[in-house]
Amino acid sequence: MNEQIARAAEILQASKFTTAYTGAGISVESGIPPFRGDGGLWSKYPPESLDIDYFLRDPEGSWKVIREIFFDFFKQTKYNQAHFLLAEMQKHGLIHRIITQNIDNLHQEAGSTQVFEFHGNSKSLICLVCLQAYHASEVDLSVLPPRCSCGGLLKPDFVFFGEPIPMDPLNAAHEAARLSDVFLIIGTTGEVMPANMIPPMAKANGAKIIEINPEESNYTRKITDVFLKGKATTMMQALYDALFSPPLENN
Ligand code: NAD
């Protein structure tokens, strides 16, 4: 593994433009479960609750699930060492853009900038009638569904199943796939479309792919050049140490 870490560090040091591409796995050690697998959110909640047609048919039912996952639960969570080290690497000019599938705001809370949220953010709500935006903290969720001052239905401003990807992050992701020498993929299965098409686009444009995940993903055997098998916090710490504390030279 040390060899793989050293190789990844070398690739990152040589890169002129590196994109970090993150998924639910980077937030697992903050206590937010991923969607899939044992203990994943879909083993407890029905995925239909986040389908846009279901939301419009039964906003109260959908909102009950949304409130429990994204408001009661997410608000107790904090960024972890992997988010923090990624932000530090960015401050040192080693990461230029972050494309995240997460909606938990933890990259920004850890100090990262240039964060493009492919699936939106759970901290803001939008009125489906007048498009007024609200920060989650200003909305009373004791009565569901919450409503705008105009009476319109409020929806969390993240992408539901059946909704298109917002143009800004989509363009930023495509641009990153064109510009990047390196994609650092952290904690994603690569199953969610169309987000999962971004790393292969980068690879086709010549980017090297470094991947951190305790399990193999859809990318590992297809496009990954350096696979750092392990948890995000452990592997990011090892990578950070290799980048910033090179071993002492022999006398
Ligand atoms: P996923 O749920 O499909 O897969 C999670 C991945 O993380 C898996 O490959 C797993 O092996 C890996 N993983 C588990 N523990 C890890 C750790 N400690 N360190 C590193 N990796 C670890 O997640 P996905 O591919 O990102 O897709 C799910 C979709 O669900 C995303 O589009 C996202 O919008 C959404 N989601 C977001 C959050 C969040 O905002 N934190 C949480 C759950 C789901």
Side-chain angles (χ1 to χ4, degrees):
M1 181 50 74
N2 282 349
E3 250 172 55
Q4 298 293 83
I5 293 283
R7 208 175 138 219
E10 220 169 87
I11 291 172
L12 284 170
Q13 264 154 348
S15 170
K16 291 198 173 59
F17 195 102
T18 295
T19 296
Y21 175 87
T22 65
I26 194 169
S27 297
V28 164
E29 290 163 272
S30 289
I32 303 176
F35 277 170
R36 292 167 190 73
D38 290 346
L41 290 169
W42 295 153
S43 60
K44 190 167 172 209
Y45 302 99
E48 309 81 75
S49 348
L50 296 185
D51 184 289
I52 189 63
D53 292 331
Y54 180 95
F55 179 80
L56 296 173
R57 253 195 337 267
D58 180 9
E60 187 183 342
S62 183
W63 256 109
K64 279 187 181 151
V65 174
I66 294 165
R67 181 175 61 187
E68 192 171 329
I69 304 179
F70 299 104
F71 293 89
D72 298 346
F73 181 55
F74 268 34
K75 92 169 171 231
Q76 303 160 21
T77 57
K78 190 176 180 303
Y79 63 83
N80 64 46
Q81 186 72 354
H83 298 102
F84 174 73
L85 293 176
L86 194 64
E88 288 297 297
M89 284 165 64
Q90 190 174 25
K91 285 175 195 153
H92 284 92
L94 288 163
I95 301 289
H96 302 88
R97 187 168 294 184
I98 296 174
I99 307 291
T100 187
Q101 297 169 80
N102 296 344
I103 56 176
D104 56 24
N105 208 46
L106 294 182
H107 284 302
Q108 293 91 327
E109 288 170 31
S112 275
T113 55
Q114 290 293 309
V115 181
F116 292 90
E117 297 164 306
F118 213 81
H119 295 147
N121 189 308
S122 60
K123 303 282 175 191
S124 65
L125 309 183
I126 187 129
C127 171
L128 295 185
V129 175
C130 72
L131 303 183
Q132 165 85 32
Y134 291 83
H135 190 269
S137 59
E138 19 167 12
V139 176
D140 176 11
L141 294 180
S142 59
V143 178
L144 296 180
R147 297 216 169 253
C148 178
S149 52
C150 81
L153 178 62
L154 291 181
K155 173 190 166 293
D157 201 11
F158 59 73
V159 176
F160 279 42
F161 295 119
E163 285 194 302
I165 305 300
M167 282 316 282
D168 275 2
L170 188 62
N171 289 338
H174 283 190
E175 188 185 57
R178 267 199 319 278
L179 293 179
S180 297
D181 301 318
V182 179
F183 252 53
L184 172 61
I185 303 178
I186 310 174
T188 181
T189 50
E191 279 180 23
V192 178
M193 281 179 66
N196 63 356
M197 291 152 73
I198 302 299
M201 282 169 56
K203 176 77 173 184
N205 288 331
K208 289 239 170 16
I209 310 288
I210 301 169
E211 183 184 9
I212 296 178
N213 200 313
E215 309 291 336
E216 289 192 1
S217 72
N218 286 353
Y219 300 128
T220 314
R221 286 173 190 263
K222 292 190 186 136
I223 61 166
T224 298
D225 296 291
V226 183
F227 183 46
L228 305 178
K229 187 173 180 2
K231 293 182 175 178
T233 56
T234 315
M235 291 298 127
M236 282 297 285
Q237 189 67 62
L239 196 51
Y240 189 86
D241 291 347
L243 286 163
F244 295 103
S245 354
L248 295 174
E249 283 178 23
N250 292 334
N251 293 327

